[in-house]
Amino acid sequence: MNAMHAGTLDPPTTPASAPADGDRRVSLAWGALAAVDDPEIPALSIIDLGLIRSVELASNGTLEVGLSPTYLGCPATEVIRGSVEHALGNAGVGAFAVINVLSPAWTSDWITPEGRRKLESYGIVPPERSAASLREILHPHRAVGCPRCHSTDTECVSEFGSTPCKALHRCRACLEPFEYFKCI
């Protein structure tokens, strides 16, 4: 091929241009994923909750997105996976695969500081630290402060709130019910 026609062709994929395209695809993916809300707590994105473990370009050019469920059997897992696939497809990231990441298991420690702030603003008390045992999950040692009036004069009404990962509490000071996101 002569030099006159070479300028009209797409640039070849070379080792120098592949990382730039890969970086662009990874960046597009993170942007798209940041817009995916958790279906049970729409005030938070799945990134706020720490559900996205990785976004990496595989050697075959496929963008691999590591997704962790909050716990095995979470009813929102398939909805989240579908939302992730939809968001990535609409973002134009090219070929991608959503990979289930089960180990290490998701922990509430992975909720970002912004996610914790959003939980509290939404009226759900964020977890302070991960629990070392099931006993700590079901019976936290500290008083759970009300997200509305900040009183610690609260009581647990039910170990399960609107979802199994939250407990239902009531504030004795302002009498408002609220949920506590359990430490997992």
Side-chain angles (χ1 to χ4, degrees):
M1 181 171 298
N2 65 41
M4 214 169 20
H5 292 112
T8 61
L9 299 175
D10 290 333
T13 302
T14 63
S17 65
D21 181 55
D23 290 346
R24 180 189 65 78
R25 291 176 61 205
V26 167
S27 180
L28 281 172
W30 278 110
L33 295 169
V36 176
D37 292 334
D38 179 77
E40 295 174 336
I41 311 170
L44 275 74
S45 75
I46 58 173
I47 291 176
D48 291 328
L49 284 171
L51 302 183
I52 301 299
R53 300 310 309 147
S54 61
V55 178
E56 299 171 342
L57 192 63
S59 60
N60 67 0
T62 301
L63 197 63
E64 292 183 348
V65 177
L67 175 65
S68 289
T70 53
Y71 64 94
L72 291 177
C74 174
T77 300
E78 287 307 311
V79 173
I80 292 170
R81 182 184 187 84
S83 296
V84 165
E85 291 171 349
H86 182 75
L88 293 171
N90 285 342
V93 299
F96 66 86
V98 178
I99 311 296
N100 288 331
V101 178
L102 303 178
S103 179
W106 181 87
T107 167
S108 53
D109 290 341
W110 293 353
I111 300 173
T112 66
E114 178 67 6
R116 291 171 189 281
R117 187 196 63 72
K118 288 178 180 179
L119 273 171
E120 191 158 12
S121 293
Y122 193 66
I124 300 172
V125 177
E128 287 191 359
R129 59 177 175 73
S130 60
S133 69
L134 181 58
R135 181 183 190 105
E136 284 186 45
I137 291 172
L138 297 177
H139 305 288
H141 295 292
R142 68 171 183 88
V144 177
C146 175
R148 290 171 185 82
C149 74
H150 305 288
S151 170
T152 55
D153 185 14
T154 64
E155 65 182 331
C156 181
V157 176
S158 174
E159 294 295 341
F160 297 100
S162 60
T163 62
C165 57
K166 293 180 286 207
L168 183 60
H169 286 250
R170 178 177 43 228
C171 178
R172 291 182 180 121
C174 71
L175 302 178
E176 288 293 321
F178 64 93
E179 291 185 301
Y180 168 67
F181 199 105
K182 297 175 190 173
C183 297
I184 298 176

